[in-house]
Amino acid sequence: MISARFGILQTQREHCVRTFASRAYEPALAGAARIVDAAIAIRIREGLLPLAVAVVDAGGNLVAFKREDGCGLLRFDVAYGKAWAALGMGMPTRLIRDRLASRPAFQGALAAASGGRFIPVPGGVLILDAAGQAIGAAGISGDASDKDEYCAIAAIRAAGYGSDPAEPDPQWRAAGL
């Protein structure tokens, strides 16, 4: 019986190792770094304010992060909270904001349940694999939320992944702080 259990555990372990090695379920460090670097390059190209960019894996673990010079100290917490909220609810933070707009008590409960890691404003975007499964999330903070979201979507795509949402708000350029 022990050897049978060991065989099952060994098979499960091998499956996990193969899965992570193939990046089928979680973004590898290299992929996360590409997202972070692309977001900053896009921010510069678009002339937006300095950003903090966080990428989490499917388990909500921080994989990569950068905060540009001139970006406020709290921006890490906001970027991480946007990524964590998107992943935790399984939807982009723009959709969370829209769905929970008339439910402030539930928003507060989610913030409490997540230890404050729940930021329900645009800028938290799911990272999708080729099969359309969420393998992580990117969160960006630094400019207007719709501009943060634009950078996240464009950076995820530039790194070779799909994003949810697939498109930014059409009026993202007009968003102000």
Side-chain angles (χ1 to χ4, degrees), residues 92-111:
T93 52
R94 179 186 352 149
L95 185 56
I96 294 170
R97 178 204 61 193
D98 295 347
R99 286 190 178 176
L100 299 182
S102 63
R103 300 173 66 194
F106 188 56
Q107 283 188 42
L110 289 171

Side-chain angles (χ1 to χ4, degrees), residues 112-131:
S114 68
R117 293 177 292 187
F118 183 78
I119 309 292
V121 296
V125 176
L126 295 173
I127 302 166
L128 308 177
D129 66 11

Side-chain angles (χ1 to χ4, degrees), residues 50-170:
L51 301 177
V53 184
V55 175
V56 298
D57 64 20
N61 302 296
L62 185 65
V63 178
F65 172 76
K66 284 187 181 178
R67 183 179 60 85
E68 291 185 280
D69 293 343
C71 192
L73 180 63
L74 286 175
R75 294 299 184 175
F76 164 76
D77 297 304
V78 175
Y80 181 63
K82 287 179 179 185
W84 211 85
L87 190 64
M89 294 298 289
M91 65 183 78
T93 52
R94 179 186 352 149
L95 185 56
I96 294 170
R97 178 204 61 193
D98 295 347
R99 286 190 178 176
L100 299 182
S102 63
R103 300 173 66 194
F106 188 56
Q107 283 188 42
L110 289 171
S114 68
R117 293 177 292 187
F118 183 78
I119 309 292
V121 296
V125 176
L126 295 173
I127 302 166
L128 308 177
D129 66 11
Q133 298 298 309
I135 57 170
I140 296 183
S141 179
D143 207 309
S145 293
D146 288 336
K147 293 176 180 178
D148 295 343
E149 180 189 66
Y150 165 78
C151 288
I153 292 168
I156 290 167
R157 289 170 146 188
Y161 297 98
S163 68
D164 183 11
E167 299 292 332
D169 183 303

Side-chain angles (χ1 to χ4, degrees), residues 23 27-37 63 159 161:
R23 292 181 22 205
L29 178 58
R34 284 194 314 272
I35 292 169
V36 170
D37 291 340
V63 178
Y161 297 98

